[in-house]
Amino acid sequence: MTEELMTQVEAASALLAYIFSGAIGSPKGKGVGYSLIQATPSIFSWSAALEDFDEPATSIHRYLVKVDRRSKEISLPEPIVLSKPELAEAILAATGQHLASSTRFTDGALSVSYKVIVQESQDVAYVVQLRHHGRVASMDALMTLISWTTDSRILPVPPVYPIPGEGKRQETTGMGRQITRLIPGVMASSVYPGLSHEKKLIFVRNIALAFQACWRIQLPEYLIGELIADTIDGRVILRIGPDRHNELGGPFTSVREYLQAHIRSSLIALEKQQGIQEYKDRFLHRIRDFVSNHLHKIPFIVEHIPIVAVHADMGPHNIIVSSETVPEIRAVIDWEFVASAPYASLYRIIEMLFREPAPNGFGPEYEGAAELREAFWATIPDWKHWEQSATTKTFLEWFRFGLFMKPEWPGDLRKDEIEGFWQENIRVVEDILNKYVTFGVYYPAGHRDKFNVMDISLPHVELGSEAEKGDRAANKI
């Protein structure tokens, strides 16, 4: 009999139990941050860390933990670090300069970071990051392309220093090294909530122009998926592959197919979410039925939404601003989440500009939020037209269903506070279920259209035809 191998979900559950057992330190008052580094037929390799999510961003002790799929054994944790000789080798290969000193630096969500000073220029600092999620060679090429083709005053990116052969090295080890110039300043997320309304207005106008510059990058074809950059004979060539960031698959030739994959993925996440049983009892059965039987009702109008290049994590937490003139953008960093996607898929990231930070990612609106929104979209009037269009409103109706289908764990909130914490989740889910599903209604023969005003069957449309692609491409800006 063939022995069954552990699935990724089973391995993740085993990993969490192992980390919460105290394998890398006391988990008291902390959460576990983990992500898959590499999967082979025999081994899952994970990055795992204990994190205090309420504390300011800092350097984090991350560990490599391997789970054997056949034996189900878990390896002893190994610190994920770059030694001083490894840092010296990387800096020399990329810049031709020699290491003088290095210190641990503030980490990204999926990286381990170091600040490096070189002997040749003590007043210049570099950031060396060990990444396992982003394709480092692709990130370097894309950031180089942006620096060549966009106005650095509008969409500034840190200078990059590619390490020769790093793409192949990452394919072998699962982790790649990226070197960029350290840009002086502060993270916008640390200062934006406390800015005056007038300075917030300046910042949202600046970031609107940065979004527009990104959206104007010329895509190689009309597909939805990960945007990958290759350097070939000194030229940067873009291509689109399957969506890795959210594990949706693809690349998708249809917006409807993309939305369907997005919603199905959200349902899987909802089914796995712990600590929300009251919510599941209320909605899970209805959501499962809706996803199984009603996704064909996504209106064809969504196919007209512009597909653009997006930095899918371009929120204030990845924007460096001047510490003296705060609204001035000094750099947009962490280009590992880059995609060819509908522009409105950035809904949650853009909403960060208008809402206070919150554990569920949807905090109360700032005072003057309406004016902030108007300032953002009025700065890029072509996109304001799309933002107000029926196409975008319909797309967001279905996209937000995927976003808000799974609520966050309410933590220690009292029972009477949980409903408010989940308010937007409940509203979005109930709105779409009530609009597109009618339960328990009897339709006399020949009178379905008369009575079923909520359950509209859309005409069949063959997706992916050359004519349709041309029509959709014409809606790009």
Side-chain angles (χ1 to χ4, degrees):
M1 186 174 75
T2 303
E3 186 178 3
E4 288 191 9
L5 299 177
M6 289 183 82
T7 66
Q8 183 175 324
V9 172
E10 291 169 338
S13 296
L15 172 76
L16 286 172
Y18 180 61
I19 300 302
F20 276 121
S21 73
I24 59 175
S26 171
K28 186 176 180 180
K30 297 181 179 180
V32 176
Y34 69 103
S35 57
L36 185 66
I37 295 177
Q38 199 172 38
T40 71
S42 58
I43 297 286
F44 285 117
S45 298
W46 303 86
S47 165
L50 290 171
E51 302 181 36
D52 190 335
F53 299 109
D54 294 327
E55 290 297 314
T58 183
S59 59
I60 297 169
H61 297 294
R62 289 195 166 91
Y63 295 85
L64 173 66
V65 181
K66 297 181 179 180
V67 181
D68 190 295
R69 299 184 64 186
R70 181 168 284 104
S71 69
K72 301 178 175 54
E73 291 182 356
I74 300 177
S75 70
L76 291 175
E78 302 173 31
I80 298 176
V81 296
L82 284 172
S83 66
K84 201 161 188 177
E86 289 172 327
L87 286 168
E89 180 270 325
I91 284 289
L92 181 62
T95 70
Q97 298 176 314
H98 299 82
L99 178 71
S101 64
S102 64
T103 55
R104 283 286 272 116
F105 198 55
T106 301
D107 292 326
L110 298 170
S111 63
V112 173
S113 305
Y114 297 83
K115 177 181 176 181
V116 167
I117 304 295
V118 294
Q119 297 174 14
E120 288 80 358
S121 181
Q122 297 284 319
D123 58 346
V124 174
Y126 299 92
V127 178
V128 182
Q129 293 180 296
L130 188 59
R131 297 180 176 276
H132 65 267
H133 184 80
R135 304 174 193 259
V136 166
S138 175
M139 293 171 65
D140 288 347
L142 181 67
M143 292 169 71
T144 299
L145 176 67
I146 291 171
S147 69
W148 289 345
T149 59
T150 65
D151 188 336
S152 62
R153 295 168 299 178
I154 293 174
L155 183 59
V157 297
V160 293
Y161 304 86
I163 304 171
E166 195 62 17
K168 290 186 177 179
R169 180 183 181 275
Q170 185 172 6
E171 289 178 8
T172 302
T173 65
M175 289 184 276
R177 300 164 298 175
Q178 184 181 42
I179 301 178
T180 60
R181 181 80 60 87
L182 175 63
I183 305 299
V186 296
M187 286 297 178
S189 57
S190 68
V191 295
Y192 181 73
L195 292 180
S196 67
H197 180 65
E198 289 70 26
K199 287 190 174 182
K200 283 190 176 79
L201 286 170
I202 297 171
F203 180 79
V204 299
R205 292 185 182 109
N206 289 342
I207 198 62
L209 293 173
F211 274 104
Q212 178 176 252
C214 192
W215 296 344
R216 285 177 171 171
I217 294 171
Q218 187 66 44
L219 294 175
E221 50 190 332
Y222 194 91
L223 295 172
I224 300 173
E226 180 181 9
L227 188 60
I228 305 166
D230 301 302
T231 303
I232 301 174
D233 297 329
R235 297 176 61 225
V236 177
I237 307 298
L238 300 179
R239 59 188 169 93
I240 299 169
D243 178 291
R244 283 188 314 122
H245 305 315
N246 301 299
E247 299 181 355
L248 299 184
F252 302 99
T253 60
S254 158
V255 178
R256 295 175 81 223
E257 291 173 357
Y258 164 74
L259 284 171
Q260 288 165 357
H262 164 66
I263 290 168
R264 291 190 180 106
S265 174
S266 298
L267 173 57
I268 292 170
L270 170 62
E271 290 173 330
K272 293 193 297 184
Q273 177 74 311
Q274 301 295 310
I276 59 167
Q277 195 56 46
E278 179 183 341
Y279 180 91
K280 287 184 176 182
D281 291 342
R282 183 172 173 181
F283 288 111
L284 185 53
H285 174 74
R286 294 173 64 193
I287 290 174
R288 280 175 175 156
D289 175 78
F290 183 83
V291 172
S292 296
N293 300 308
H294 297 277
L295 293 190
H296 67 280
K297 296 176 181 177
I298 298 175
F300 180 73
I301 192 175
V302 299
E303 299 299 339
H304 298 292
I305 199 164
I307 306 300
V308 296
V310 300
H311 180 322
D313 200 23
M314 202 163 84
H317 54 290
N318 278 328
I319 297 170
I320 298 174
V321 294
S322 167
S323 55
E324 287 82 26
T325 54
V326 169
E328 177 192 345
I329 298 173
R330 302 294 303 276
V332 178
I333 63 171
D334 276 359
W335 289 82
E336 59 194 347
F337 295 102
V338 183
S340 168
Y343 87 96
S345 64
L346 295 175
Y347 168 80
R348 176 162 264 171
I349 292 295
I350 293 174
E351 276 293 303
M352 288 181 178
L353 302 171
F354 317 131
R355 295 180 178 274
E356 297 175 13
N360 64 355
F362 201 77
E365 291 191 343
Y366 288 118
E367 184 177 351
E371 189 177 1
L372 292 174
R373 281 194 184 86
E374 174 60 23
F376 181 92
W377 294 110
T379 302
I380 46 177
D382 287 342
W383 294 98
K384 181 178 181 180
H385 161 77
W386 278 107
E387 191 265 340
Q388 295 175 339
S389 69
T391 296
T392 295
K393 286 178 168 56
T394 304
F395 174 88
L396 282 176
E397 177 182 44
W398 292 84
F399 186 77
R400 278 167 47 85
F401 176 57
L403 276 184
F404 288 96
M405 179 192 300
K406 179 186 76 66
E408 295 303 313
W409 175 57
D412 298 326
L413 292 181
R414 300 191 310 269
K415 191 170 183 178
D416 60 334
E417 296 174 325
I418 292 175
E419 187 86 3
F421 185 73
W422 289 342
Q423 181 179 4
E424 190 66 6
N425 303 89
I426 292 168
R427 188 185 71 78
V428 169
V429 169
E430 287 189 335
D431 280 356
I432 203 162
L433 294 180
N434 292 338
K435 180 173 181 179
Y436 290 97
V437 183
T438 302
F439 292 98
V441 178
Y442 170 72
Y443 300 102
H447 293 276
R448 180 179 177 85
D449 290 341
K450 178 179 178 180
F451 288 89
N452 189 10
V453 296
M454 304 289 285
D455 192 4
I456 302 170
S457 295
L458 297 170
H460 173 73
V461 179
E462 191 66 36
L463 299 177
S465 68
E466 290 303 313
E468 177 200 331
K469 289 177 183 175
D471 181 44
R472 283 183 268 149
N475 284 281
K476 293 171 63 179
I477 293 179

